[in-house]
């Protein structure tokens, strides 16, 4: 063999040896880098777990608060329904009482008209023809709303009469005007 072949072979062996040497240092560097990466990933995963725990606690708290709010609203709705039922009952009772009072007013009106007719006939039979004083006609409106006219005669304002009688201001004015018209007729 020739000497140049020996030189080439020695060179090739040196090159192969040189290439193998850095790969061993690369392997240790890669192992160390891999360990660092694993440690960083473990820290990252621990942070994510802590964040997830905090998020879970927050969601649990919000859920509990939502349930408490829902229960409070349901209790309030139940209380409001009870109030509505009570108001409906009182409305029915007031309507019944108003109807009863209207009936009693009609009975009083009928009794008054019968008494006045009987009194007129009795006076006509016993008395000598005396001119009868013309009685003021009792308006039917005054019979329907005696409390309203009582308050008006006391000098109360239309607003206070409306508030006391439970009527609108315009209704009170209209009733008073109708009564004046009946008196003038």
């Amino acid at each position: 063999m020739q000497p140049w072949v020996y030189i080439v072979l020695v060179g090739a062996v040196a090159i192969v040896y040189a290439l193998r040497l850095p790969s061993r240092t690369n392997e240790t560097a890669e192992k160390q880098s891999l360990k660092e990466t694993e440690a960083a990933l473990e820290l990252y995963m621990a942070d994510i777990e802590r964040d997830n725990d905090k998020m879970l606690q927050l969601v649990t708290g919000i859920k509990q608060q939502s349930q408490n709010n829902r229960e409070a609203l349901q209790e309030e709705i139940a209380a409001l329904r009870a109030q509505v039922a009570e108001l409906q009952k009182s409305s029915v009772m007031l309507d019944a009482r108003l109807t009863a009072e209207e009936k009693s007013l009609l009975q009083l009106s009928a009794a008054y008209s019968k008494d006045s007719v009987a009194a007129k006939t009795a006076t006509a039979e016993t008395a000598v023809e005396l001119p009868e004083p013309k009685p003021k006609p009792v308006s039917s409106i005054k019979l329907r709303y005696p409390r309203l006219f009582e308050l008006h005669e006391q000098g109360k304002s239309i607003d206070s009469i409306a508030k006391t009688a439970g009527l609108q201001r315009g209704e009170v004015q209209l009733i008073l005007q109708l009564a004046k018209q009946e008196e003038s007729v």
Side-chain angles (χ1 to χ4, degrees), residues 21-147:
L21 183 64
S23 68
R24 288 183 189 163
T25 56
N26 280 344
E27 285 179 10
T28 56
E30 285 178 10
K31 285 181 183 178
Q32 186 178 5
S33 173
L34 185 62
K35 286 180 182 178
E36 289 175 0
T37 306
E38 286 177 357
L41 284 175
E42 286 178 13
L43 286 174
Y44 180 70
M45 292 302 288
D47 286 344
I48 288 177
E49 281 185 43
R50 272 184 271 139
D51 290 344
N52 283 344
D53 288 342
K54 287 179 184 177
M55 187 67 77
L56 185 62
Q57 289 174 353
L58 182 63
V59 168
T60 304
I62 290 172
K63 183 179 177 182
Q64 184 66 34
Q65 185 179 7
S66 173
Q67 286 176 344
N68 291 341
N69 288 344
R70 187 180 329 136
E71 289 172 2
L73 288 174
Q74 287 175 347
E75 289 174 6
E76 189 174 340
I77 287 171
L80 289 174
R81 284 184 179 159
Q83 286 179 352
V84 166
E86 288 177 26
L87 289 174
Q88 286 175 341
K89 286 179 185 176
S90 78
S91 173
V92 168
M93 290 174 58
L94 287 174
D95 286 344
R97 194 168 84 190
L98 181 62
T99 305
E101 287 183 14
E102 286 176 350
K103 285 181 183 177
S104 67
L105 283 176
L106 289 175
Q107 289 173 351
L108 284 174
S109 172
Y112 175 75
S113 64
K114 286 180 186 177
D115 287 344
S116 65
V117 169
K120 285 181 184 177
T121 56
T123 8
E125 292 174 358
T126 58
V128 185
E129 282 191 39
L130 292 174
E132 291 183 23
K134 200 172 191 181
K136 281 189 175 178
V138 177
S139 72
S140 61
I141 292 180
K142 286 190 176 184
L143 290 176
R144 285 187 186 168
Y145 303 99
R147 180 73 178 143

